[in-house]
Amino acid sequence: TIMKLPLLVTTLLVSAVVLAMPADSTVTYVDHEKVAKGGSLVTAPDLSVSMNRRTGPGQVEVHDKETDTFYILDGEATIVTAGTMVGGKVARSNQQLGTSINGGETRHLAKGDVMVIPAGVPHWFKEVPKEINYYVVKVIKP
């Protein structure tokens, strides 16, 4: 049922983090007060978890080694994925930033949506009418 969807999505996100972690790693716990503040929640060589808030459009991003998984907590946005990045420049190791995307696929994101963007795929929060809050789980290739 629709009521069980948030539980399913949370379980899938936690499973993705657990599967990405080495078997001998220690457990990472983040208490609800830190989660409520947002920002970076977990940082490791092969993954990161954060809670982000966006109040406007962003730049186009392409991560060479990071697969992004977004889980929308509230708000809405228009995101463009794939296509060809315009104006791309290296921003840091393994990441380029650009000004727009030619082609690509436009989607409307809203509360409860999940999107997985594989490494190497351009993505752009093109429109954010008010604000959007979302978890980002990044699985980082070596």
Side-chain angles (χ1 to χ4, degrees):
T1 66
I2 203 83
M3 297 296 289
K4 293 182 183 178
L5 186 57
L7 178 61
L8 173 63
V9 170
T10 301
T11 301
L12 290 173
L13 287 173
V14 170
S15 297
V17 170
V18 170
L19 289 173
M21 296 177 80
D24 63 344
S25 68
T26 58
V27 171
T28 300
Y29 169 76
V30 181
D31 69 59
H32 64 279
E33 290 178 12
K34 184 174 179 183
V35 171
K37 290 178 186 175
S40 180
L41 303 174
V42 177
T43 303
D46 55 353
L47 68 95
S48 70
V49 179
S50 62
M51 191 169 94
N52 294 354
R53 177 177 172 260
R54 188 177 284 277
T55 58
Q59 293 180 285
V60 177
E61 299 179 14
V62 176
H63 312 292
D64 297 338
K65 296 186 174 195
E66 299 171 358
T67 293
D68 286 344
T69 301
F70 298 155
Y71 172 58
I72 310 306
L73 297 169
D74 59 52
E76 58 185 66
T78 300
I79 190 166
V80 180
T81 58
T84 304
M85 180 170 54
V86 175
K89 295 181 182 176
V90 175
R92 62 178 170 87
S93 180
N94 299 308
Q95 178 173 307
Q96 297 88 46
L97 297 177
T99 56
S100 64
I101 292 178
N102 281 337
E105 189 168 346
T106 302
R107 291 186 177 89
H108 180 80
L109 296 178
K111 181 178 180 174
D113 289 347
V114 171
M115 177 174 273
V116 178
I117 304 168
V121 174
H123 52 287
W124 176 30
F125 278 91
K126 184 176 180 181
E127 298 171 353
V128 180
K130 292 183 181 176
E131 78 175 31
I132 187 168
N133 295 289
Y134 56 103
Y135 283 112
V136 179
V137 177
K138 289 183 178 280
V139 177
I140 305 164
K141 296 179 191 177

